[in-house]
Amino acid sequence: MSKQFLLLALMICVSSSYGQDHLLQNVYNRTTISLNGDWKYIVDPYENGYYNYRYEPFDQQPTPWASAFFLNSKPKDASDLLEYDFDKMDNLKVPGDWNTQKESLYYYEGTVWYKQSFDFDFSAEGNRLFVYFEAANYQAEVYLNGSKLGTHTGGFTPFNFEVTDIVKAQDNFLIVKIDNKRLKDGVPTLNTDWWNYGGITRDVKLVETAATFVADYFIQLDPQDTKKIKGYVQVNSKDTGAQKLQLKLPGLGIDQQLTSDQDGYAAVDLSVEDIRYWSLDDPFLYDVAIETAQETVKDQIGFRSIRTEGTQIMLNDQPVYLKGISIHEESPLRDGRGYSKEDATQLLEWAKELGCNYVRLAHYPHNEHMVRLADQMGILVWEENPVYWTISWDNESTYQNAETQLSELIARDKNRASVIIWSMANETPNVPARNVFLNKLAAYARAKDNTRLISAALEQKNYQGDPTIRTIDDPFAEVVDILSFNQYIGWYDGLPEKCKTITWKIEEDKPVLISEFGAGAKQGLHGSKEERWTEEFQENLYVETLQMIDKIDKIQGFSPWILVDFRSPRRVLPEIQDGWNRKGLISEEGEKKKAFFILQAFYNNK
């Protein structure tokens, strides 16, 4: 990767993230102070704490009114008029969604203000401080001690702001305005098939760094030469001039000095022998340390190659069949959005029990625990940008939003061996504006990270008008590395027996993945295999679909829909759905359905 492109990427990331600082790499392993816990909150559906009565934002005025919530104003005397008081309000848990914490907020879409107070002392003179959010859905306006830090748009990716010159030793107040309203020009847009959880849904941390610190790095195998490790280290310093760095991989006998240029950029280009490649059977992670004169950053990185060769997917130059499952980010341990290491562990352990070597994290970036644990457990991962169904394809700000979220996902997970696929979109219509949109996204992803594969969940259609032959007729099929598509023959398209009548004609010389198939079933509801919503119907659909899939030429794996039942406001059938998408192989209570064991047997025999 050239220095010029890196600097361009940094500028894009900063400018398109609406004021946030460049994303800190590997906060997961850094020493941090948690701001999780009880936060005071105010529900503000009219955004009274953000706009004055002329609908002018308070934070864009030279002297905001005291009624601006982010000022956390207090009455000066008994006659002073103020119509809010955070300290007298109820609490919400952070991390967490507001929908499942407060019954009155279950369907709420709008603005909620959060406030947390804290004290802070720097551990050394000259150090710097950042506040880091793992995610907040959907738009966050962030303020510290009454000063606006910036805005972040996108519900599933991390962001941070430097607060070195604002933080005090005592009585700091961090206030965050969260707005989860669905937007026509948003990413995702108005219409989805999952719950629009609002709130600060992942961890919030204070990250203290040295004055000169390692801000970013990309250390991976060279896709052209598996005996080389290439990438870069980016140092952030308020001082100008070259920086001395030390890159250490003791497991490979590497202790190499790097010297950055005037902008803090240092290229990494290492020749290695006898490398132990990360694999499904041996998910080995090397300890990596990057040292400046003032700090050391440590990570655990696996080295593996991933590419395609004709219709095969090649992991470390060996064909791999992807035995997968799709997963939504909902907690298997409690109500609501998943966020914890325990949540991720349970979901991935169920996937392993199912016989999976691969998971599709749908339909947006999941929390970092998922990919960190996948690294350790030897599970391959598809990560997805939330470009879903019908985006505003002609809107430039919508495209920039999608690119920014993709950029933040790649920035966070680019050193994770488990991640092999960046997915651009799910079930989007084949129209010219969409094709331009997705082509730009794919080109951006390849320029930012050339060590992984590009895909998208496309749709299938009849071949030359013949309803018994299915194909992929989509110009984006020429762009992707792996041809993936969703199909629901037997559920939305006829009954399960229809699978016997369908053949496939896929002309591209590429590996084929079926990114979704499935059927709904209420756990514990039994009947004949002809009766919808029974476990037997779902079980029969899996039997018929797996027989059909096994006959598809070029098929290299699949990820059925879905591991666990998940909430969706679209799913309203009483006594069956009750607000849940029932296509899970496991119920929301953790009970396995009959189809789970059909897929498990197929995978174990594959």
Side-chain angles (χ1 to χ4, degrees):
M1 180 180 292
S2 69
K3 174 193 169 189
Q4 290 77 15
F5 176 75
L6 174 71
L7 295 176
L8 173 64
L10 293 179
M11 289 187 290
I12 289 172
C13 186
V14 171
S15 65
S16 62
S17 296
Y18 311 96
Q20 75 163 84
D21 292 352
H22 177 61
L23 191 65
L24 289 170
Q25 178 67 205
N26 190 22
V27 170
Y28 198 90
N29 280 336
R30 294 178 188 260
T31 299
T32 61
I33 296 172
S34 174
L35 294 183
N36 294 347
D38 288 333
W39 289 50
K40 296 295 183 180
Y41 76 97
I42 299 173
V43 181
D44 189 16
Y46 283 18
E47 299 184 290
N48 189 56
Y50 187 71
Y51 296 103
N52 66 17
Y53 76 114
R54 301 297 188 196
Y55 212 64
E56 299 163 333
F58 289 128
D59 63 13
Q60 295 178 26
Q61 298 172 355
T63 306
W65 297 357
S67 52
F69 286 0
F70 61 84
L71 293 177
N72 191 33
S73 301
K74 302 298 179 187
K76 298 181 181 65
D77 53 47
S79 66
D80 200 11
L81 175 61
L82 273 179
E83 297 183 272
Y84 74 99
D85 187 342
F86 274 105
D87 296 335
K88 294 180 180 179
M89 301 303 292
D90 195 6
N91 298 321
L92 280 168
K93 293 287 186 185
V94 171
D97 59 87
W98 64 55
N99 313 78
T100 56
Q101 291 190 60
K102 303 293 179 180
E103 185 176 358
S104 61
L105 299 177
Y106 188 63
Y107 286 105
Y108 180 69
E109 294 185 320
T111 286
V112 172
W113 295 81
Y114 286 74
K115 172 186 168 287
Q116 179 66 286
S117 299
F118 65 93
D119 300 333
F120 181 80
D121 287 318
F122 284 99
S123 62
E125 186 176 353
N127 278 6
R128 298 163 68 180
L129 187 68
F130 296 79
V131 59
Y132 181 91
F133 295 81
E134 291 189 359
N137 191 36
Y138 171 70
Q139 180 158 305
E141 312 279 351
V142 186
Y143 309 83
L144 181 63
N145 298 334
S147 297
K148 186 164 187 176
L149 303 180
T151 301
H152 180 265
T153 301
F156 307 100
T157 48
F159 55 100
N160 51 252
F161 304 98
E162 184 167 6
V163 297
T164 304
D165 298 330
I166 304 173
V167 72
K168 305 180 296 183
Q170 293 182 313
D171 299 325
N172 295 282
F173 55 93
L174 180 64
I175 292 179
V176 187
K177 174 184 179 288
I178 304 293
D179 186 348
N180 77 325
K181 285 194 296 289
R182 290 168 296 122
L183 304 171
K184 179 180 183 296
D185 295 329
V187 181
T189 185
L190 293 168
N191 197 17
T192 69
D193 189 16
W194 69 85
W195 203 271
N196 183 29
Y197 291 109
I200 304 176
T201 53
R202 299 181 192 156
D203 293 349
V204 183
K205 302 172 180 179
L206 295 175
V207 186
E208 185 180 4
T209 72
T212 297
F213 67 95
V214 176
D216 193 13
Y217 53 89
F218 187 27
I219 300 173
Q220 290 283 278
L221 277 189
D222 182 351
Q224 307 305 320
D225 184 350
T226 58
K227 294 297 184 182
K228 279 185 173 291
I229 293 173
K230 300 190 77 170
Y232 63 83
V233 177
Q234 180 69 45
V235 174
N236 185 312
S237 178
K238 293 186 175 179
D239 298 325
T240 58
Q243 304 288 332
K244 297 292 185 183
L245 308 166
Q246 208 72 20
L247 175 61
K248 297 181 179 180
L249 285 86
L252 288 170
I254 292 171
D255 186 350
Q256 180 159 338
Q257 187 177 83
L258 305 174
T259 302
S260 79
D261 64 12
Q262 300 296 309
D263 299 313
Y265 174 85
V268 173
D269 190 345
L270 305 170
S271 296
V272 291
E273 297 291 338
D274 300 321
I275 190 167
R276 184 172 168 185
Y277 295 109
W278 184 97
S279 68
L280 298 173
D281 297 324
D282 182 23
F284 183 76
L285 303 175
Y286 282 94
D287 290 326
V288 178
I290 305 170
E291 298 178 358
T292 69
Q294 297 176 307
E295 73 165 15
T296 299
V297 173
K298 296 181 178 180
D299 207 345
Q300 304 77 41
I301 298 177
F303 299 109
R304 55 97 192 98
S305 64
I306 190 74
R307 61 184 178 87
T308 64
E309 186 176 292
T311 62
Q312 292 185 314
I313 302 169
M314 309 295 286
L315 176 65
N316 299 326
D317 296 327
Q318 297 297 316
V320 60
Y321 190 95
L322 301 185
K323 299 184 288 186
I325 193 70
S326 295
I327 300 176
H328 257 301
E329 191 189 42
E330 288 198 335
S331 173
L333 308 175
R334 64 180 180 280
D335 275 348
R337 173 69 68 209
Y339 57 77
S340 71
K341 186 175 183 179
E342 291 75 20
D343 292 334
T345 299
Q346 179 63 85
L347 291 168
L348 293 178
E349 284 181 348
W350 275 336
K352 276 282 202 180
E353 182 184 354
L354 186 58
C356 297
N357 60 13
Y358 155 71
V359 293
R360 176 189 178 214
L361 304 184
H363 285 296
Y364 41 76
H366 290 213
N367 65 78
E368 192 171 351
H369 295 299
M370 291 292 281
V371 291
R372 291 279 184 171
L373 287 171
D375 267 12
Q376 298 169 27
M377 297 169 68
I379 300 173
L380 299 171
V381 176
W382 158 313
E383 292 206 270
E384 191 157 297
N385 205 28
V387 176
Y388 182 90
W389 286 358
T390 307
I391 299 289
S392 295
W393 307 113
D394 291 315
N395 187 308
E396 179 56 32
S397 66
T398 300
Y399 172 78
Q400 193 59 64
N401 184 348
E403 185 183 277
T404 296
Q405 292 189 55
L406 179 61
S407 172
E408 290 166 347
L409 172 62
I410 295 173
R412 190 192 73 180
D413 292 344
K414 60 183 178 287
N415 290 307
R416 305 281 68 82
S418 56
V419 179
I420 61 167
I421 297 170
W422 302 125
S423 171
M424 300 298 101
N426 177 80
E427 293 182 347
T428 53
N430 182 359
V431 295
R434 167 268 202 180
N435 298 334
V436 171
F437 190 108
L438 294 189
N439 287 350
K440 285 174 62 180
L441 268 187
Y444 178 83
R446 286 195 169 101
K448 197 167 179 68
D449 175 16
N450 66 349
T451 69
R452 289 174 176 85
L453 305 173
I454 301 296
S455 192
L458 306 178
E459 295 179 311
Q460 49 85 41
K461 63 179 294 186
N462 295 341
Y463 179 73
Q464 295 182 349
D466 187 339
T468 67
I469 305 175
R470 301 298 171 87
T471 191
I472 309 303
D473 182 14
D474 189 323
F476 200 58
E478 299 301 321
V479 176
V480 298
D481 300 304
I482 293 179
L483 184 57
S484 306
F485 61 90
N486 300 346
Q487 68 82 23
Y488 282 93
I489 297 167
W491 182 249
Y492 296 120
D493 180 4
L495 295 172
E497 287 67 27
K498 185 172 183 176
C499 294
K500 293 185 173 72
T501 71
I502 301 297
T503 57
W504 296 80
K505 186 175 180 61
I506 298 174
E507 297 174 332
E508 291 81 4
D509 185 32
K510 295 182 178 184
V512 173
L513 293 180
I514 295 180
S515 35
E516 291 181 28
F517 72 83
K522 178 73 177 290
Q523 192 278 329
L525 180 64
H526 295 285
S528 72
K529 66 180 184 179
E530 288 79 26
E531 185 180 350
R532 281 193 192 264
W533 305 114
T534 63
E535 289 194 41
E536 287 72 18
F537 187 103
Q538 185 188 49
E539 176 186 42
N540 185 45
L541 180 133
Y542 270 75
V543 170
E544 297 290 350
T545 302
L546 291 172
Q547 291 175 359
M548 176 184 67
I549 285 174
D550 237 9
K551 299 173 185 175
I552 298 177
D553 189 29
K554 306 174 185 175
I555 192 78
Q556 296 299 311
F558 50 91
S559 51
W561 195 257
I562 187 169
L563 182 64
V564 186
D565 288 351
F566 62 94
R567 276 194 174 89
S568 172
R570 298 172 60 88
R571 310 296 177 166
V572 298
L573 182 63
E575 300 177 1
I576 299 292
Q577 293 172 315
D578 298 315
W580 294 84
N581 187 312
R582 294 297 183 191
K583 295 187 184 71
L585 298 178
I586 302 173
S587 76
E588 75 275 18
E589 302 294 334
E591 299 155 308
K592 297 179 179 68
K593 304 175 191 178
K594 296 180 75 172
F596 179 98
F597 301 101
I598 297 297
L599 184 59
Q600 182 187 59
F602 181 90
Y603 281 160
N604 288 341
N605 292 324
K606 190 68 179 174

